[in-house]
Each structure stands twice: as C-alpha cells, then as structure tokens.
Amino acid sequence: DVKVTQSSRYLVKRTGEKVFLECVQDMDHENMFWYRQDPGLGLRLIYFSYDVKMKEKGDIPEGYSVSREKKERFSLILESASTNQTSMYLCASRRGQGNEKLFFGSGTQLSVL
Amino acid sequence: SQQGEEDPQALSIQEGENATMNCSYKTSINNLQWYRQNSGRGLVHLILIRSNEREKHSGRLRVTLDTSKKSSSLLITASRAADTASYFCATGSTGGFKTIFGAGTRLFVKA
C-alpha cells in the first residue's frame, strides 16, 4: 500500500513564525497535494504539484508557498504564521493523470497562537 | 470553490440499520469518489464511480451516480459501530488535476 507520511501529528507555533510542514510518499507518485480542513468547510486545496519543481495554486494559496525538490517530498511553508492558519493540514498523493484516487497522510493539526 | 455538497450534515443510526448519504455537485465530472475519515485522521478512499457508470458496489457499500441530476448517493448496509466516521464525496473534472471535496456527512452508529 501507498504510504504518505506527514512529519508532525501536532504542531504549536507562534504568530509570525515560519512554519514547514513536510510530506513524503513512497510510491513514486507524480502528483502531490496540500489541503487544509476546517469544520463545516470540508477540504480546501492550497497547492498541488504534478512534477518535481512544478507547482500550481489551488483555491486558497494566500499566505502559503510550497517546495518540491524531489519527487517523493512536498513541503508546505507558512511564511509568517497567523492565527487564521490554525487548521488541520492534509497531504495527499496520486499517480498519473485522470483524477484517480488520492492517498492521504494522517494530517498535521497546526495551532498558531 | 466547493464542488460537492453532502446531505445530511450529520446522521445517527442504530447498528444494523442502513445509512444513506447524498452528494450534489455543480459542474461536469469524469468521476466521483467517496472517502471516509475517522476522527482527527487522514482520509481513506472508499470507492470511485466513473461518469459513464450508474451504480457500483464494494462489500457493504453501494454508490449510485445520476449525472443528469448531478448527484450521487452512498449506501452503507448493515452498519456497524466501526462505521462511525465522516464521509466525503469528491469530484474530478475531465482533464483536470484538482479533486474537489464537499463538507462531509458525519455518521454516528450506535451499538
């Protein structure tokens, strides 16, 4: 089975800090995604990447950036964390094209104080 | 933008009963997927139905798709306490990369 690993289960950061969320997948998937999940809003796409060094904005990219230097690793960066970025962050990966099924990590619950 | 919308938002049933969740979406799709999320965890893919399919089964799961009404339903038969979770529908558009999720249905199965 595909394994998608997120580096932290829980994170507590202070306003203004630079935050790195790391995600690694072990199945050579081309596509990787970062979502945030908030109660009542479902999952919203922040950024995705379809190849190494390639990235595309999702629906809510403001305040975030991403890095994909290696195929297996996709990092989400909060340049200057704010309290409204307190959320559950979910990384996912998928092979090829065609909107096939996503494989998710366990999530990182980020609290910004 | 939120594509899928699940109904109901929450559902509470007894063990052994069937649970039905509905999903509506707005634009043309090439497939529709259902995912499950246990509390505080990542999502797990349950089933995918393509736009040219009307019904699909997987174990105790039955999914229907009506593209004319832009709607889908997920039926879980003979529910168990372990089915307690949130269920999300998600849609993928033709030629696109994005998978768009709804807000989910919270299912609680009482033992």
Side-chain angles (χ1 to χ4, degrees), chain A residues 20-64:
Chain A
F20 292 86
L21 302 182
E22 305 287 345
C23 176
V24 177
Q25 50 95 3
D26 66 358
M27 282 299 290
D28 203 37
H29 284 174
E30 293 85 355
N31 304 304
M32 297 188 73
F33 304 81
W34 276 106
Y35 289 88
R36 67 175 278 177
Q37 182 179 22
D38 300 288
L41 295 178
L43 277 73
R44 293 179 291 167
L45 182 63
I46 304 172
Y47 266 98
F48 64 98
S49 169
Y50 52 89
D51 202 350
V52 176
K53 297 191 184 297
M54 305 303 290
K55 60 187 180 184
E56 293 284 344
K57 293 179 180 179
D59 298 316
I60 51 164
E62 296 79 16
Y64 303 94

Side-chain angles (χ1 to χ4, degrees), chain A residues 1-107:
Chain A
D1 274 352
V2 176
K3 189 169 184 180
V4 179
T5 303
Q6 294 184 230
S7 55
S8 302
R9 186 77 184 88
Y10 299 98
L11 270 181
V12 180
K13 296 292 182 180
R14 296 206 176 274
T15 302
E17 279 192 76
K18 191 169 186 176
V19 181
F20 292 86
L21 302 182
E22 305 287 345
C23 176
V24 177
Q25 50 95 3
D26 66 358
M27 282 299 290
D28 203 37
H29 284 174
E30 293 85 355
N31 304 304
M32 297 188 73
F33 304 81
W34 276 106
Y35 289 88
R36 67 175 278 177
Q37 182 179 22
D38 300 288
L41 295 178
L43 277 73
R44 293 179 291 167
L45 182 63
I46 304 172
Y47 266 98
F48 64 98
S49 169
Y50 52 89
D51 202 350
V52 176
K53 297 191 184 297
M54 305 303 290
K55 60 187 180 184
E56 293 284 344
K57 293 179 180 179
D59 298 316
I60 51 164
E62 296 79 16
Y64 303 94
S65 62
V66 290
S67 173
R68 192 157 180 213
E69 296 297 318
K70 294 184 177 181
K71 192 174 186 179
E72 67 270 19
R73 186 180 297 270
F74 191 36
S75 302
L76 179 69
I77 304 155
L78 287 65
E79 297 291 343
S80 178
S82 64
T83 55
N84 63 11
Q85 292 179 309
T86 291
S87 187
M88 169 70 91
Y89 290 87
L90 292 162
C91 175
S93 73
R94 184 184 71 208
R95 67 172 176 81
Q97 296 182 19
N99 275 301
E100 298 300 312
K101 70 178 184 180
L102 291 165
F103 295 84
F104 280 86
S106 295

